[in-house]
Structure formats: structure tokens, C-alpha cells
Amino acid sequence: MDLILCHTTADFDALGAAVGLTRLLSGSKIVLTGGSHPPVRNFLALHRDEYPLIERRSVNPEKIRSLTVVDTQQRDRLGKAAEWLDLPNLKEIIVYDHHLGQESDIPATRSHISSVGATTTLIVEQLQQQHISLTPAEATVMALGIHVDTGSLTFDQSTPRDALALAWLMQQGASLSVISTYRDPGLSFQLQQLLTEALENLEYLCLRGYTVAWVTLKTEAFVPGLSSLASELVELTEIDALLLANEYLGKGDSSLSVIGRSQIPKTNLNRLFQLLGGGGHSQAASLNLRGVDSQLILKQLLDGVKAQIPHPPTARDLMSSPVRTILPETTIAEAQRILLRYGHSGLSVVDTQGQLVGIISRRDIDIALHHGFSHAPVKGYMTINLKTITPDTTLPQIESLMVTYDIGRLPVLENEQLVGLVTRTDVLRELHQERDENGEGGEEERQKSNINLPQLQNKLAPQLWQLLTIASQEAEKWGWHLYLVGGAVRDLLLAEASGTLMIKDIDLVVDGFHKSADVGAGVELAKALQQLYPAARLEIHGAFQTAALLWHKDPELDSLWVDIATARTEFYPYPAANPEVEASSIRQDLYRRDFTINALALRLTIPRAGELLDFFGGLLDLQAKQIRVLHANSFIEDPTRIYRGVRFAVRFGFQIEPQTEEFIRYAINSGVYDRTAQENSRTPALQTRLKTELKHILEAAYWKSALQLLDNLGALQCIHPTLKLDVEVLRQLRLLERCLRRFDLQPTLIHWEMRLEALIAHLAPQYRAKVAKNLQLQEDGIKRLQNLASAQTDMMESLPKCQSPSQVVQLLRKYDLPMLILIAVQSPRSLRHQIWEYLTVLVNVQPLLNGNDLKKLGYKPGPQYRQILDDVVAATLDGVIKDRIEAEEFLAKHYPH
């Protein structure tokens, strides 16, 4: 006999899952181990015969072969049927549940536990996989299970998997009329009486903008359906959290049931109730206890809820700062130019004393321009009746103001000075993040999106953790926020769960404008850290408001580079230029970055230390393993981002997101880089910054794959319009690698530069030196590429005429090793073999005599020594002399004395 066990007081999810399992486990029977919810009881009164239900008392334990438990992992929720778990004749115990994080005391041989809204969803997915169809009665009760446990897909723990499961059940014939009847059956007469009593005795507490209520109801016996009563109370009173206790006389002693409900972000009733032996979801949980002090238990739960209530974000946490402002006399045309430059949707208007006098929106400006008033001052079009807030205004208060007055942006004033701006987008983003963090589903995903400082400490090398801790403490002294940003955060998210990640390049951003408008915040912090780390060299770049601390072969930090910047925004005056930067907020600082996976920030300072800022979906892109650009014009403004995108894609094994690839191809095919280079004498993104990206690519192990991807995108045109990675270039690069391995073992050459020179050497001779100069290669590299064509011609003409090895040496020794390698990779096989022989054999031939030998033989020291020894080497190369005796005879004949 194969049995499926529902927990005591079975709900629709337990029943629906059990019914579905009877189709998966042919011949199995369902046992309700101890009562059911009133709606389930009423439903079964009409539909019991549709399902294979049997009474517990009719079961012969000796005939039980397997047990399958649904919707619980606790044996005490199986009533007396829990005794069957210990039967020696059991072959299998299977558990299906959707409550994560619970410690199970059921000795399961197999478990199916997943973060979905209802256990029934798990069963539906298996039925679909096995192509098993259902009767309408089976589909109906299973659909009821999902509807009730997910609030018809409105509860936070609902997932797309639940929605797909419901859709399939509807296809199987689930009755919507039956579902609507039993999903919300209303309260029984007893529950209606208790509702009146609860409303009269409900106690309230307001904390951090949220209302928590609690009540204890005393009855003579257990009251089924208290969960429906709790839901009704929450709906009627609009409270944010409720603890509903029912104290009644059990078997011989008093018993207590507590139902918990919470709509407060970041609270987790499941975790709280588990401490007392209960459980459930983050928003809904329950427990049953015997022989306890009900008021003591209620107080413990209430204290737990209060401790979980988060401090609501304030305007100081949400606002963008500093605020872009203009004077009332600013023209409409100039205001439009500023909006275009910074991508804002509105501007704050202040007087000469810095007092806020109005706000003008993009819509206001567009209307003025439409009517031909581009030269009119903005004071004639700005809004002057303003609602303002302070830095301490909470998120609920901000949300209320925006909804009540239909306001899209609220200025933040402190001491009558404008210190920030909170927009509707800021509020929506924060509310969305709160919903994500409070959701029951996607546990693994939430852990990844909520890196905390202990996790950071476990992943980083201890000395780096100490450095970041000290940096955050220094920032806190000034009242600044400090963030770890960019690649370091990305690498932490991609790193294993534990280890000692030693990041060599760290970017820190100081966002200090909520307390101070000092644009040099990053520089000040760097100076303070340099006092604590005197071994570090301090570099300050005033134009970009950044500073860097550099260690060189430090015993603890090795060659670490820490960039510390003040949060800033940037604007490119023309494509491929250096950006113009201005102090701004952390949001604007992340907005200016290249790809979503690099636009992540981890806050290091309190409060909210460990908070991960992800405004552009970087976490999702990391999980999807894709490179996605932040802005459509990103590659137009900075072509080096194409090379960075390719580098990240190949390094991490990611794909370039399709639209991002379209943006790349559009930027390249538009011809904007050629036009920019012709119109501007300086194009750093096509010069120094492009060279830096080429260095990163060509010195990495994956350089070949990166070049192939760049060529596929047409991006090698950024080096020169005619450069393509054809078969001949690939052949030459392979030959180059053989030469470097064979002739530069030390190494003495810079291999990435040789790879770049080989690429440039493939261009027509008239372009080589110009491209080398544009990329600001070293002077010897520029000269080498400039002279490569003539050297090649000389060698092609002269080398075949050499009649002896000594003539070959005399011809080739005037060229350095890099030049010989470049010529070799571009030459025919016969010529290449001669160069190869020269480098492997002939160049290593040494004279049989040296200067001391000449002195002993009576030759007077002087310039002639060089000529004598060269002739000896030549004779040795040509086989004229083979040993010392023949060498001395050679001297006596050709240099008598």
C-alpha cells in the first residue's frame, strides 16, 4: 500500500498536491491525518468521491510500502500517522514541500523542496514532464491549492512557475466557478463572532511608520479557520502586521494557536515562528503549543516582529546630490542644452543666495520652445508652488506626497539650502528592491543579490578586508558614504562562496554630498589612508577628482592599486574625447559606467553597510552570462568600450547581448570615428585609451579569441579602417608566437607590444607609422614599423645573394630581434628559414680566440682587435677554420706581425 499523507488541518494546497500525486503514484491513497480547514471540509462534503481518500483508522500499518508527505517537513504535523514513519517495512519515504529553510525531522529517502508559491506547483510540473492528463475534478482541486496558497498569484512568494502551473490546470478543465466559490468562502458564524470580538480588543503599536496589531481570543475548543479570520482582520483594519492568538482547552491542558501575518518589507515570520516550533512563509506563519504561558509567547513574538521592522529609507538615502541648478535668468535654450547634456528630466531653479525658488521640467521647456520663446528666462515658465522635504523624511511620507499631489520630484532642503532631489523613479526603484528582498521565492537569487559584509569578508583576502574596513571607518568620520564599485563587486559576485580573493585593482567611490559639498572628498580620504599606509604611493588627478594609492611588491598587499574618487557624472564634448566630469551622486556615478555588470556598488559604511546597489540589472546579466551596455550612445562616445566589452565577454565566457551588438555595429559602420579623428586633433579614446585596452587584451591568455571577436564585430577598424583578421594575419600571428617562444625565453621583449606591431605591420606600409604614432607606441616600435618595408626590401634583394654564412651574418646583424621577427613572419618560407637559422645557429657562433689570446700571441691592443675577431668568426662560420690551431694559423697568414 502506497499512502500520501496530508498534514493535520489540511488546506487546499496539501489536498491538491496529494490528488496530483495519486496520478504520479498509480494506486496510491490519500490520508487526511487530522481534520481540514473549513473550506476544504465543505469542498470534500460534495467532492470526496472524486478522489482516492481513505480513513487513517482503515489502514493496516503492516501493508504500508511507501509514504509520501506533502506540504510539511515536520512529523508532529502528521498527528498519529507520524508513527508510520518508523515502520520497519517501509521501502521509501518521499517529501514534497515549498517551505525553504526548515529543519526536517522526517527520515525521507527522497525530497522535492523548491521555492514556489504552492507545493501543488511541484506536482503539476512533474505531471507535465510525464505527459499525464487530469480530469476536471482533479484539475479543480489542484488549481484551488495554488490559488489559495498564492492569493491568486498576489502573494510575494508567488512565482512564474505557479502561474504556468495554473495555466496548465485551466487547460485540463479546472472549474473557475468552483474555484471562486471555495477560494474565498467567507467566515462561518463562529468566526464572524470572533471577528467582532477581535476588532473590539485589538491592540496597536506604531513603529517606524508601520502599524502592528495583536489580540488574544479565548475559546473552549480549537477553532478551525483562524487563518481566514486573520486575513479578514488585516483587510478591514489596514494594519501592516498581525499576531492573532487563540487560547483554548486542549486534551487535559491549555493550548495555544498563533496566526501571523505581515506586509512589512524585510520581515520574516517564518524565521520568527520557527524558533518556537512553528513555521510558514515570510508573510504568513503559524504555530501550535501546549501548556505554555500564552501572554509570554505572544510578547516574545511581538518583540521579534518589532526587532525585524526595518528603518525605512529616508530622503537622504534616496536623493540625488548635488542637484543641477540654474538661475531664474537662464534662458530656455540654455536650460534645454543642460538637460540634453546631463539627461535630466527637470532642473531646480535657485536665486543668487542658493535659495530654491522653482522647478522647470522638460515638458515646460518643450512648450516654451514650441511657442518660440527660446531666449525667454526660465522664471516665466517654472513651477513656484513647491512641496519640499527634509533629508530625514521617510519613504512612506515621500510616497504619500507624490501620490497626493501628483509630484514627480521633491527637492530636499536642509537649513533652507537645496541638498538633494528625490524623483518618482528613486521611489519606484526603492519599492521594487524592497519587494524583491521580501519575496519568498528565489532564495538562491536573493542571496546573490544581497551580499553582506560577512560574505565579503569570507571571499576577500584578510588584508584587503582590513583595508576596506579602515577606509570605511575613515569615511564615516567625515559623514561620507563609501562604496566599493565596478569590477571588484563583479568579481566578488562571480567568486566562489569562500576563499581568499586577492583583487589587484580596487575602485572606491565617496558620496559625501548628503553632509558636505566638498568636491575633493575622494582625495581627502586617500590622503587620510596614506597616513595609515605610508608604504603606499599617493597620486592625485585633480582634473578627474580622483586619487590613487599604489603599493609595489608589498609583503601583504603586493602590487595593489586603489582608486578613490568622488562620485561624479561625465559628459563627452565629442565622440572619442576625454569626458568632462563634475561632482555628483553615487547613482549618477554608476550611470556613467560602461556595462551593467560593472555598474554595481557595495556600500561599506553604516547605516546600511553591505547594501548592494544595482540600478541597471547587472545581477541578472551576471546570472544570464551576458554583456549589456548601459546607453545606446555609449560606443559612439567611447569606442574603447567595444574593446572592454569584448575583453569581458571572452574573459568570463559571456555573450554580448544582441542589442548591445547592434549598437557596436552601428557605431562602427556610422563612420563617426573617422570623422571625429579628422575634425579633432586629440581623440584619446582612439589613442591612449585604445592602446590601454589593446594592452589588456593582448597580454591576456585569451587574446586570440578576443581578436577574433573584435574582427567579427568589425571593431579592428578602430585601429585602422583597412585592418581585418584574415587568414594571412592569423598565420603571421601563429608564426610570431613560435618566434617569441623560441627566441625570447627570458623574456626581454614585451610580447603584447610585439603582437600589436605584427597587427600594424599587416597594414599597407604608408599607414604603419601613422597608426603606431596614433596609438603612442614606444619610439623604437614606431621607427621599426616605419622602416619595416625598406628593411624587408633590402633583405629580399640581398639575402639570396649571400654566398656564405658569414655574409648572412654580416647582413642580418644590423637588425634587432623584433625587426627580424616582424620580417620573418611576413617573408616566404625560404627567407624565413634563413632568418631562423641565423637566430638559432649562426648568431650563437663564438670566435675561437678572444682578446687575451691575441695579447698572448703578441698583438698590440687596439681597434684592430674587433676586426681580427670578426674575421675569425667569419672564417669559423664559413668552415675555413675549425679549431684553435687553425685559428692561430689563420692569424699568422692574414695578420702577420
Side-chain angles (χ1 to χ4, degrees):
M1 180 180 292
D2 300 311
L3 298 181
I4 301 166
L5 305 183
C6 298
H7 55 71
T8 55
T9 319
D11 56 15
F12 273 116
D13 188 29
L15 179 61
V19 168
L21 278 168
T22 62
R23 298 303 307 276
L24 287 170
L25 306 172
S26 181
S28 57
K29 305 294 183 182
I30 302 171
V31 176
L32 301 179
T33 61
S36 57
H37 282 194
V40 174
R41 187 171 61 247
N42 295 337
F43 175 84
L44 288 176
L46 291 176
H47 301 277
R48 176 179 291 273
D49 293 340
E50 305 280 352
Y51 315 115
L53 289 159
I54 60 174
E55 298 286 338
R56 179 180 56 82
R57 60 189 174 183
S58 68
V59 174
N60 182 351
E62 295 180 359
K63 294 185 178 181
I64 300 176
R65 292 186 306 174
S66 71
L67 294 173
T68 301
V69 180
V70 295
D71 205 33
T72 184
Q73 300 171 56
Q74 309 299 321
R75 62 188 299 148
D76 63 2
R77 294 203 65 196
L78 298 177
K80 288 188 176 182
E83 299 171 355
W84 297 343
L85 297 171
D86 303 318
L87 292 173
N89 51 300
L90 281 182
K91 292 184 178 181
E92 192 170 33
I93 299 176
I94 309 170
V95 171
Y96 284 87
D97 193 21
H98 68 126
H99 301 97
L100 293 181
Q102 293 194 358
E103 291 187 11
S104 177
D105 56 3
I106 294 176
T109 55
R110 278 194 293 137
S111 295
H112 301 273
I113 302 171
S114 185
S115 181
V116 289
T119 302
T120 305
T121 297
L122 303 178
I123 312 303
V124 168
E125 290 173 343
Q126 292 197 8
L127 289 168
Q128 290 176 294
Q129 290 170 8
Q130 298 188 29
H131 305 288
I132 298 174
S133 60
L134 301 176
T135 66
E138 291 166 340
T140 299
V141 72
M142 294 181 73
L144 268 168
I146 298 176
H147 270 288
V148 171
D149 246 37
T150 66
S152 295
L153 303 178
T154 62
F155 292 166
D156 281 353
Q157 64 263 23
S158 305
T159 69
R161 294 167 63 184
D162 300 299
L164 292 171
L166 268 180
W168 184 78
L169 291 169
M170 290 178 67
Q171 291 175 339
Q172 296 295 306
S175 170
L176 296 181
S177 61
V178 173
I179 291 170
S180 63
T181 299
Y182 292 98
R183 186 184 65 83
D184 185 15
L187 300 180
S188 67
F189 178 73
Q190 182 185 19
L191 289 177
Q192 290 178 30
Q193 289 181 313
L194 290 175
L195 175 62
T196 303
E197 182 182 341
L199 289 171
E200 292 175 352
N201 295 286
L202 207 59
E203 297 183 72
Y204 298 90
L205 168 71
C206 290
L207 182 63
R208 298 170 195 150
Y210 299 104
T211 302
V212 181
W214 65 97
V215 67
T216 300
L217 301 175
K218 296 185 178 183
T219 59
E220 294 182 357
F222 171 74
V223 178
L226 281 178
S227 59
S228 300
L229 175 58
S231 299
E232 190 75 13
L233 273 172
V234 171
E235 186 173 343
L236 287 174
T237 58
E238 296 185 351
I239 54 180
D240 300 299
L242 170 69
L243 293 173
L244 172 62
N246 176 212
E247 190 176 349
Y248 61 95
L249 187 63
K251 296 182 179 180
D253 54 8
S254 62
S255 296
L256 176 70
S257 293
V258 182
I259 304 291
R261 295 287 185 270
S262 176
Q263 301 179 73
I264 302 174
K266 300 183 182 179
T267 55
N268 192 319
L269 295 181
N270 176 46
R271 190 178 303 136
L272 184 60
F273 275 58
Q274 274 187 344
L275 297 175
L276 296 171
H281 303 291
S282 63
Q283 290 185 299
S286 64
L287 60 80
N288 294 288
L289 299 172
R290 291 181 181 176
V292 295
D293 185 332
S294 61
Q295 293 308 304
L296 187 63
I297 294 296
L298 192 60
K299 182 180 184 305
Q300 183 176 341
L301 290 172
L302 183 60
D303 290 343
V305 171
K306 290 192 291 185
Q308 287 186 350
I309 295 176
H311 290 272
T314 63
R316 197 185 302 281
D317 301 311
L318 302 173
M319 70 186 189
S320 298
S321 174
V323 183
R324 194 77 51 196
T325 61
I326 55 176
L327 294 170
E329 292 74 26
T330 304
T331 65
I332 292 291
E334 177 63 11
Q336 184 201 33
R337 188 190 70 81
I338 295 172
L339 285 182
L340 176 64
R341 174 168 180 158
Y342 297 106
H344 293 342
S345 59
L347 292 169
S348 299
V349 185
V350 299
D351 60 20
T352 53
Q353 285 75 44
Q355 301 285 313
L356 180 70
V357 294
I359 285 181
I360 188 164
S361 68
R362 182 185 297 276
R363 183 174 180 276
D364 298 329
I365 292 173
D366 288 343
I367 291 173
L369 290 171
H370 176 72
H371 292 292
F373 291 101
S374 60
H375 297 291
V378 296
K379 63 184 178 183
Y381 293 86
M382 67 186 185
T383 301
I384 57 175
N385 296 321
L386 303 177
K387 295 292 181 182
T388 63
I389 55 178
T390 70
D392 297 322
T393 304
T394 64
L395 176 60
Q397 293 170 322
I398 294 170
E399 186 181 7
S400 176
L401 279 172
M402 286 185 168
V403 172
T404 302
Y405 297 101
D406 191 22
I407 300 172
R409 56 186 64 81
L410 287 168
V412 185
L413 301 184
E414 188 171 35
N415 299 325
E416 298 186 357
Q417 293 294 310
L418 180 64
V419 295
L421 189 73
V422 175
T423 67
R424 187 181 285 117
T425 301
D426 296 328
V427 171
L428 291 175
R429 183 184 293 118
E430 185 68 27
L431 292 173
H432 176 74
Q433 288 178 342
E434 285 184 353
R435 284 194 294 270
D436 284 349
E437 291 169 2
N438 196 47
E440 189 73 15
E443 185 72 22
E444 180 180 348
E445 180 178 322
R446 287 202 313 282
Q447 288 173 355
K448 292 186 72 175
S449 65
N450 266 321
I451 282 191
N452 54 39
L453 293 186
Q455 287 176 320
L456 176 65
Q457 183 177 3
N458 291 336
K459 289 187 174 185
L460 277 179
Q463 58 271 35
L464 281 185
W465 165 255
Q466 183 180 22
L467 173 64
L468 294 179
T469 301
I470 292 173
S472 63
Q473 291 170 348
E474 288 296 315
E476 286 165 4
K477 292 179 183 178
W478 296 78
W480 296 330
H481 297 321
L482 182 65
Y483 296 89
L484 179 69
V485 300
V489 182
R490 177 199 66 221
D491 292 346
L492 278 171
L493 289 166
L494 292 174
E496 297 297 327
S498 60
T500 53
L501 185 63
M502 187 63 192
I503 300 173
K504 296 294 184 69
D505 192 348
I506 289 178
D507 288 327
L508 298 175
V509 169
V510 183
D511 183 4
F513 292 96
H514 67 301
K515 288 284 183 73
S516 165
D518 179 11
V519 296
V523 173
E524 291 300 321
L525 179 59
K527 289 178 179 178
L529 282 176
Q530 206 266 341
Q531 295 297 315
L532 300 172
Y533 287 92
R537 186 173 86 253
L538 175 64
E539 291 184 357
I540 297 175
H541 309 285
F544 296 101
Q545 302 166 4
T546 64
L549 291 173
L550 294 81
W551 286 261
H552 182 65
K553 295 183 178 179
D554 185 82
E556 287 192 354
L557 296 172
D558 195 17
S559 296
L560 175 65
W561 184 303
V562 178
D563 267 312
I564 306 176
T566 307
R568 53 201 169 131
T569 188
E570 65 185 22
F571 176 77
Y572 288 82
Y574 55 87
N578 273 333
E580 297 175 3
V581 298
E582 297 178 12
S584 186
S585 66
I586 184 64
R587 280 180 173 80
Q588 288 294 316
D589 194 276
L590 294 176
Y591 183 73
R592 70 182 180 84
R593 295 175 184 270
D594 48 16
F595 303 101
T596 59
I597 63 171
N598 296 329
L600 299 164
L602 184 69
R603 182 158 157 172
L604 301 175
T605 45
I606 57 174
R608 303 175 81 173
E611 177 185 43
L612 191 66
L613 302 186
D614 177 17
F615 303 123
F616 312 105
L619 284 170
L620 293 176
D621 286 334
L622 278 177
Q623 292 161 11
K625 296 186 176 182
Q626 68 178 6
I627 305 297
R628 182 163 58 88
V629 75
L630 260 65
H631 318 293
N633 290 320
S634 186
F635 302 119
I636 296 287
E637 294 178 335
D638 187 354
T640 60
R641 287 173 175 160
I642 300 173
Y643 281 66
R644 282 203 296 277
V646 166
R647 175 158 60 90
F648 293 137
V650 178
R651 174 184 169 189
F652 299 122
F654 286 11
Q655 296 294 318
I656 296 178
E657 181 256 347
Q659 189 175 44
T660 298
E661 182 174 332
E662 288 182 16
F663 290 150
I664 291 174
R665 294 187 185 279
Y666 175 79
I668 293 168
N669 296 332
S670 69
V672 65
Y673 304 141
D674 291 336
R675 292 195 302 273
T676 299
Q678 292 170 9
E679 296 169 1
N680 300 277
S681 59
R682 293 188 69 252
T683 52
L686 294 169
Q687 296 170 328
T688 52
R689 299 211 307 274
L690 180 56
K691 176 190 173 183
T692 299
E693 282 304 319
L694 283 166
K695 174 181 183 294
H696 289 318
I697 287 173
L698 293 173
E699 68 182 2
Y702 49 76
W703 66 270
K704 290 180 184 177
S705 300
L707 283 181
Q708 288 172 336
L709 181 52
L710 285 168
D711 181 64
N712 177 265
L713 293 168
L716 292 179
Q717 294 180 40
C718 294
I719 300 174
H720 192 270
T722 65
L723 183 58
K724 294 184 181 300
L725 203 65
D726 56 26
V727 174
E728 180 58 24
V729 175
L730 291 172
R731 186 187 71 83
Q732 291 178 13
L733 288 173
R734 286 195 299 271
L735 289 172
L736 174 71
E737 291 306 296
R738 289 176 59 191
C739 290
L740 292 175
R741 287 196 303 270
R742 184 67 177 84
F743 305 128
D744 192 38
L745 301 176
Q746 294 304 321
T748 59
L749 304 179
I750 302 174
H751 289 196
W752 76 265
E753 288 185 349
M754 287 300 302
R755 292 170 187 136
L756 180 54
E757 286 185 30
L759 281 173
I760 298 173
H762 188 63
L763 298 173
Q766 65 267 30
Y767 301 135
R768 294 169 182 168
K770 182 179 179 181
V771 171
K773 289 177 182 176
N774 184 62
L775 293 175
Q776 300 178 6
L777 268 61
Q778 296 185 50
E779 192 61 34
D780 61 341
I782 296 173
K783 288 182 179 178
R784 190 159 41 246
L785 289 164
Q786 191 170 21
N787 299 326
L788 177 60
S790 60
Q792 238 175 337
T793 301
D794 176 46
M795 198 173 295
M796 293 284 287
E797 293 176 354
S798 303
L799 200 53
K801 298 176 183 178
C802 294
Q803 301 298 316
S804 64
S806 62
Q807 290 177 332
V808 173
V809 171
Q810 187 175 7
L811 174 64
L812 298 186
R813 68 182 178 186
K814 61 184 178 183
Y815 300 111
D816 61 9
L817 176 61
M819 178 67 89
L820 289 172
I821 291 176
L822 288 181
I823 293 174
V825 301
Q826 289 198 337
S827 299
R829 184 188 297 268
S830 59
L831 196 67
R832 187 167 65 252
H833 281 180
Q834 285 183 282
I835 297 173
W836 186 280
E837 184 182 16
Y838 166 75
L839 291 173
T840 55
V841 179
L842 301 182
V843 80
N844 295 319
V845 173
Q846 299 297 319
L848 295 172
L849 300 172
N850 57 34
N852 290 330
D853 296 327
L854 296 181
K855 191 174 181 180
K856 290 178 182 178
L857 291 171
Y859 291 94
K860 186 177 181 180
Q864 65 172 341
Y865 270 28
R866 170 50 52 196
Q867 183 62 51
I868 293 172
L869 293 176
D870 285 347
D871 288 346
V872 171
V873 171
T876 305
L877 287 166
D878 295 338
V880 175
I881 58 176
K882 299 180 181 61
D883 54 32
R884 186 183 180 88
I885 295 174
E886 290 183 356
E888 291 178 359
E889 291 174 352
F890 177 84
L891 288 181
K893 179 179 179 180
H894 293 88
Y895 293 96
H897 61 282

